[in-house]
Amino acid sequence: MKSFKRRHLVVAIAASVGFTGVAHGAFEEITENNPFAAITSKGENPSLVMMDLDNDGDKDALLFHIYEQNDSYPYNYGGISVWENVGSATAPEFSNVPDLYGGAQYAGQEIAVSPFENDYDSYYGHPVSAADLDDDGDLDFFGGQDCAYNNLQLSYSEVESDEGGVVTGLTQYQYNNEGYGSNPFYQNSLAPSAAYSGCGDAAFAAGDLDNDTDIDIVSVDSNVLRVFKNDGEDSNGAFIFNELVGASNPLMEASALTSAYYGAPAVLHDVDADGDLDLVMGTVSAAPLRLFINEGTASTADFAEVEDTTGSIDVESSGWAAPTFADMDGDGKDDLIVVELAAAAPMTGEAVSKGPAPTTQTIRYFRNTTVDNSAEEQGSSSSSGGSLGIAAVLMGMLFGLRRRRR
């Protein structure tokens, strides 16, 4: 497996000659005045999507969780809890949105009722990904499952918006087999199968990995990471995703997983602001988040794991952890948000006979503190014999030395 253990040495030398842009993003946890502390919805295996539901210029929060109706009041109707940002794009404040008309509406709210009252059903409680898969300008929802049931069909919903860009609802494609093309993931091979350690979990990260303007997918399977290229649709409207195998898989050297990461939530995001997508992997049990930096390009991905994440995405989780990114303070840099479900404490005595112990859900907020060195870098590059040229030579030598395999 490729590693960045020596990357700090490269950065240190580059910085000493006036070039610091190679470092990956830095994130600092905000524990006081965390705007996400107001979100109290509970449920197993949660995941978070940030999107502007009411087209008012700030991000609202959608919390997905297990398909069973075990959510706490006032969200008793299934798998999505909606929280409107009644603050601003620079100072968010979240207020709950009722599932049905007649629920309480709070001061400053524009959304009277959840547009998703006819819930998105994620079936087996696996994390939901959001991406514009149908290229209509808004985010759609799709998620994995815990087994390769029903011809490997994944859950999928198209989000609907009005002419003003306000989200009005979604169309849920049915899980049962209604015929080829009814669900565009029908008969796709992204769900786990016997070829990949039997009937196991699957989660997905979505993003354009080959710069062709459509959405490709990284599958976090049982035991392995798999990459699927989007090759459009067939004549029936079904998505065509073809797996990249062997040397063509940009995550081949990092594909083997341990149990803390089987089917774990993941997200593709440009962490180091170099114009290509990196991979951040969450957890299913107590373990640190993992960061894979794309050393390739926006057109040809090539991932290497950052083993020492000190000063970057240095997040140790005590249980389930689902990462996502959104700019929450209006500084133009996307912050890291992690929905965490801590491991339940062991039960003793009479409590054992009363069923599973309750779990504690929190949403952790990590502000992006990365320093923008673009102005300094442009100044340094004005002379071909200046510090940038020296740094490039030194970096080239060190990058050749630091690549190793585990």
Side-chain angles (χ1 to χ4, degrees):
M1 183 187 296
K2 295 181 289 184
S3 166
F4 272 10
K5 272 195 169 180
R6 295 181 184 145
R7 189 179 183 100
H8 62 280
L9 177 59
V10 178
V11 174
I13 292 179
S16 72
V17 292
F19 182 66
T20 58
V22 296
H24 42 80
F27 298 87
E28 177 185 10
E29 184 166 16
I30 304 299
T31 54
E32 294 186 10
N33 301 317
N34 175 3
F36 294 96
I39 299 179
T40 57
S41 176
K42 291 180 171 59
E44 297 299 318
N45 295 1
S47 54
L48 185 71
V49 169
M50 303 298 300
M51 61 188 299
D52 188 356
L53 293 173
D54 48 0
N55 198 27
D56 65 350
D58 57 37
K59 292 289 196 302
D60 307 300
L62 306 180
L63 191 65
F64 295 80
H65 38 77
I66 203 164
Y67 74 106
E68 294 175 350
Q69 295 181 5
N70 62 353
D71 196 8
S72 60
Y73 179 84
Y75 308 100
N76 297 325
Y77 297 95
I80 304 180
S81 300
V82 176
W83 296 76
E84 181 185 350
N85 184 353
V86 297
S88 67
T90 58
E93 179 183 348
F94 294 101
S95 180
N96 54 19
V97 176
D99 282 329
L100 300 173
Y101 286 105
Q105 188 172 3
Y106 296 89
Q109 276 189 319
E110 297 179 7
I111 306 174
V113 65
S114 168
F116 307 118
E117 58 179 310
N118 298 319
D119 283 310
Y120 176 90
D121 189 345
S122 59
Y123 303 114
Y124 295 97
H126 289 282
V128 171
S129 296
D132 186 8
L133 287 165
D134 56 3
D135 196 28
D136 65 351
D138 54 29
L139 297 177
D140 307 306
F141 306 142
F142 71 103
Q145 42 183 281
D146 65 355
C147 206
Y149 292 129
N150 200 40
N151 296 306
L152 311 182
Q153 184 168 300
L154 278 67
S155 59
Y156 177 70
S157 283
E158 290 182 359
V159 172
E160 300 163 353
S161 302
D162 63 19
E163 293 181 354
V166 175
V167 173
T168 57
L170 55 79
T171 297
Q172 171 80 58
Y173 284 86
Q174 297 300 311
Y175 180 62
N176 57 5
N177 184 357
E178 292 187 346
Y180 189 78
S182 61
N183 183 329
F185 281 111
Y186 179 70
Q187 286 190 332
N188 236 301
S189 59
L190 277 71
S193 66
Y196 298 95
S197 191
C199 194
D201 299 340
F204 303 99
D208 185 1
L209 291 175
D210 52 9
N211 205 27
D212 64 352
T213 72
D214 58 25
I215 300 299
D216 308 301
I217 290 176
V218 173
S219 169
V220 185
D221 237 25
S222 290
N223 299 345
V224 295
L225 287 168
R226 302 158 66 194
V227 180
F228 294 85
K229 183 180 183 300
N230 186 336
D231 286 321
E233 300 178 357
D234 67 12
S235 59
N236 295 298
F239 296 140
I240 302 172
F241 284 97
N242 289 311
E243 185 172 3
L244 302 180
V245 297
S248 65
N249 178 2
L251 280 162
M252 179 183 66
E253 297 183 48
S255 61
L257 302 176
T258 56
S259 59
Y261 304 98
Y262 291 172
V267 60
L268 284 165
H269 183 78
D270 187 2
V271 175
D272 53 2
D274 65 349
D276 55 38
L277 294 175
D278 311 299
L279 179 69
V280 178
M281 187 183 302
T283 69
V284 295
S285 58
L289 268 62
R290 297 172 69 178
L291 171 62
F292 299 86
I293 290 291
N294 186 351
E295 288 189 294
T297 67
S299 300
T300 306
D302 181 22
F303 293 96
E305 183 165 15
V306 179
E307 290 191 349
D308 182 2
T309 57
T310 303
S312 180
I313 298 181
D314 189 12
V315 181
E316 185 77 34
S317 174
S318 59
W320 172 275
T324 192
F325 289 87
D327 181 6
M328 301 309 301
D329 53 8
D331 64 354
K333 297 178 293 187
D334 285 335
D335 308 302
L336 171 65
I337 308 158
V338 179
V339 185
E340 186 175 65
L341 197 65
M347 294 180 294
T348 59
E350 183 180 353
V352 174
S353 63
K354 295 183 177 180
T359 53
T360 301
Q361 175 187 290
T362 57
I363 301 180
R364 300 169 67 184
Y365 173 41
F366 298 81
R367 188 169 61 87
N368 190 331
T369 59
T370 307
V371 176
D372 183 2
N373 296 301
S374 57
E376 289 85 348
E377 290 169 22
Q378 290 173 3
S380 299
S381 62
S382 60
S383 172
S384 60
S387 58
L388 179 58
I390 298 171
V393 173
L394 289 170
M395 288 169 59
M397 294 170 61
L398 286 168
F399 270 78
L401 291 173
R402 69 175 171 76
R403 298 177 73 95
R404 66 174 179 83
R405 297 177 186 274
R406 189 178 275 175

